[in-house]
């Protein structure tokens, strides 16, 4: 079964796509990763999206228009994958998260936009979307959904493993055999990106190559104030997003400590915040291996900081396990699509905190009748990815 996974993450800079050809051999699911791509949002659309995100006020009219425009952008990316990557049986669109409603230790709701009907209409392929909410209705956080893939890939790793994704938000799955625990740690790139964008430090909207952070000095005074965030002391599983970690959050922290830092020093301090919070949780997990993916793994300042803070931990990229670091989340959503199509849960309770695992998503038919594979009674135990 050939499945296209699509996602725009919490950095909201574009759409990642990955085509995976799945086949089942006994209790092993084999996935051959084919076409992958990253398609930036048009500059005007990204600006409108950023302007509408919390804590900024917006209107239902703007939400409706963004839902359509983002859906059309996803449809264009899907059409490109179909043309360049070959026929598809199913498309999974995560869409764009615009709000993740969390009160204390509980997720109450989540909203992803990017109308899937535009994708189905343009490609003729059925689309699975809205994949997070079912887990929330079962008491989970709807995140991080990549945890099931982590468990299937690394469940056999002796001594256990931590699987870290450094997107806008840092999330980690701790895997020990068939048991796993997953949660959002805190900001990875979210605060860095917000400062780089707002201060116009480059045209990319992120600290490319960590060059800005490398040229600055960490303010221990500001860092101490940032580390006092109550979210870090909540028990896992837990989830967060840009509803908490946004530009106003940084400005408020600066005001509390009475500092007016230069650009490079501020970016260096926010980068060190990512290193400190992630390293603390990896050490607390007591794992010997840390497998990293997401845009932050391309920041040498973050990666060097993690290796220095974790001298007894083997730190590697997810590429070593068949999941290219830049494409891993798109691959995870392709996996969720395969599972849902076969009537299998796409979550693990330890990964999201739900009462029980649930089959995920809502299906939009393609050009023809909606035909699903025969349901499977038991899920595969292991996933093996190849290129």
């Amino acid at each position: 079964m050939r499945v296209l996974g699509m996602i725009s993450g919490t950095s909201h800079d574009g759409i990642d796509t990955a085509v995976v050809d799945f086949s089942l051999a006994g209790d092993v699911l084999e996935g051959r990763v084919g076409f992958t791509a990253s398609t930036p949002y048009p500059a005007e659309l990204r600006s409108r999206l950023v302007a509408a995100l919390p804590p900024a006020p917006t209107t239902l009219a703007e939400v409706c228009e963004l839902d359509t425009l983002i859906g059309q952008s996803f449809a264009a990316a899907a059409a490109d994958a179909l043309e360049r990557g070959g026929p598809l049986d199913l498309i999974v669109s995560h869409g764009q998260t615009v709000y993740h409603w969390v009160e204390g230790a509980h997720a109450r709701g989540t909203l992803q936009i990017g109308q899937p009907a535009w994708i189905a209409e343009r490609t003729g392929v059925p689309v699975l979307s809205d994949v997070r909410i079912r887990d929330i209705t079962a008491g989970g956080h709807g995140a991080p959904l990549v945890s099931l893939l982590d468990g299937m890939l690394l469940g056999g790793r002796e001594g256990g493993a931590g699987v870290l994704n450094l997107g806008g938000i840092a999330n980690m799955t701790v895997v020990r055999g068939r048991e796993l625990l997953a949660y959002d740690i805190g900001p990875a790139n979210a605060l860095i990106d917000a400062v780089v964008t707002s201060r116009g430090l480059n045209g990319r909207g992120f600290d490319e190559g960590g060059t800005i952070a490398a040229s600055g000095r960490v303010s221990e005074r500001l860092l101490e104030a940032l580390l006092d965030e109550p979210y870090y002391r909540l028990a896992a599983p837990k989830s967060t997003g840009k509803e908490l970690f946004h530009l106003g959050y940084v400005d408020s922290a600066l005001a509390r400590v009475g500092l007016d830092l230069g650009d490079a020093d501020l970016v260096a301090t926010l980068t060190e915040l990512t290193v400190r919070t992630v390293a603390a949780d990896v050490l607390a997990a007591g794992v010997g291996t840390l497998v990293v993916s997401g845009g932050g793994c391309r920041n040498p300042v973050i990666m060097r900081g993690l290796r220095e803070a974790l001298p007894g931990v083997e730190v590697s990229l997810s590429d070593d396990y068949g999941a290219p670091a830049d494409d891993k989340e798109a691959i995870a959503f392709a996996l969720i699509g395969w599972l849902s199509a076969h009537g299998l849960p796409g979550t693990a309770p330890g990964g999201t905190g739900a009462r029980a695992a649930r089959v995920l998503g809502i299906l939009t038919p393609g050009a023809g009748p909606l035909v699903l594979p025969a349901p499977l009674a038991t899920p595969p135990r292991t996933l093996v990815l190849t290129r």
Side-chain angles (χ1 to χ4, degrees):
M1 184 177 192
R2 290 173 54 81
V3 185
L4 169 63
M6 311 178 70
I7 179 174
S8 178
T10 48
S11 294
H12 49 71
D13 51 4
I15 303 162
D16 294 331
T17 56
V19 176
V20 186
D21 191 352
F22 291 106
S23 59
L24 188 62
D27 63 356
V28 177
L29 181 61
E30 299 173 350
R32 185 175 66 80
V33 181
F35 174 81
T36 61
S38 183
T39 305
Y41 280 136
E44 181 182 355
L45 175 56
R46 186 173 191 270
S47 295
R48 285 183 66 175
L49 173 60
V50 171
L53 291 172
T58 191
T59 65
L60 288 175
E62 183 67 358
V63 172
C64 179
E65 291 182 23
L66 286 172
D67 187 39
T68 292
L69 294 171
I70 290 171
Q72 290 170 341
S73 290
F74 270 76
D80 182 59
L82 183 62
E83 179 180 353
R84 298 168 62 188
L88 298 168
D89 298 302
L90 179 66
I91 295 171
V92 183
S93 176
H94 169 272
Q96 177 69 64
T97 297
V98 290
Y99 192 70
H100 192 65
W101 179 18
V102 179
E103 292 181 350
H106 302 284
R108 302 300 188 188
T110 190
L111 180 61
Q112 286 75 44
I113 62 174
Q115 173 54 242
W118 291 103
I119 306 170
E121 182 67 22
R122 180 153 179 181
T123 63
V125 179
V127 180
L128 185 79
S129 62
D130 210 8
V131 293
R132 294 190 184 275
I133 189 61
R134 185 62 188 274
D135 181 77
I136 289 177
T137 66
H141 280 265
L145 292 185
V146 72
S147 59
L148 189 69
L149 178 146
D150 294 335
M152 293 176 68
L153 271 181
L154 291 153
R157 186 77 177 178
E158 187 174 347
V163 191
L164 174 69
N165 180 65
L166 295 171
I169 300 298
N171 60 64
M172 181 170 67
T173 307
V174 180
V175 183
R176 288 188 175 86
R178 298 296 295 172
E179 300 296 321
L180 63 83
L181 173 68
Y183 61 99
D184 288 344
I185 295 172
N189 301 305
L191 299 182
I192 301 168
D193 293 353
V195 167
V196 171
T197 300
S198 69
R199 299 195 177 193
L201 302 187
N202 61 34
R204 303 298 301 276
F206 64 97
D207 185 11
E208 187 171 13
T211 55
I212 302 171
S215 67
R217 297 180 61 183
V218 173
S219 166
E220 291 294 338
R221 187 172 160 192
L222 176 60
L223 182 61
E224 181 180 354
L226 291 167
L227 287 170
D228 195 40
E229 166 58 48
Y231 176 80
Y232 302 130
R233 297 190 289 275
L234 293 176
K238 57 185 178 177
S239 62
T240 189
K242 291 187 175 180
E243 299 75 29
L244 174 60
F245 296 112
H246 51 74
L247 182 62
Y249 181 92
V250 178
D251 291 340
S252 176
L254 286 168
R256 287 199 310 274
V257 297
L259 289 175
D260 183 17
L261 292 184
D263 296 339
D265 290 352
L266 180 55
V267 172
T269 304
L270 296 174
T271 302
E272 181 65 14
L273 174 68
T274 296
V275 171
R276 294 272 187 100
T277 52
V278 169
D281 280 25
V282 173
L283 289 172
V287 294
T289 299
L290 183 67
V291 181
V292 190
S293 63
C297 77
R298 305 304 183 196
N299 185 323
V301 178
I302 293 177
M303 294 303 292
R304 181 169 61 249
L306 288 176
R307 289 189 169 100
E308 290 174 354
L310 302 168
V313 178
E314 177 190 343
V315 180
S316 61
L317 298 184
S318 62
D319 303 63
D320 298 340
Y321 298 87
D326 295 328
D327 306 313
K328 185 183 167 208
E329 283 197 298
I331 293 168
F333 284 98
L335 172 64
I336 287 170
W338 185 91
L339 292 167
S340 291
H342 289 83
L344 297 171
T347 62
T352 65
R355 293 184 295 275
R358 294 289 186 263
V359 180
L360 302 180
I362 297 171
L363 280 165
T364 301
L370 184 59
V371 179
L372 296 175
L376 296 176
T378 57
R381 290 179 58 86
T382 303
L383 174 66
V384 176
L385 293 173
T386 58
R387 291 303 300 256

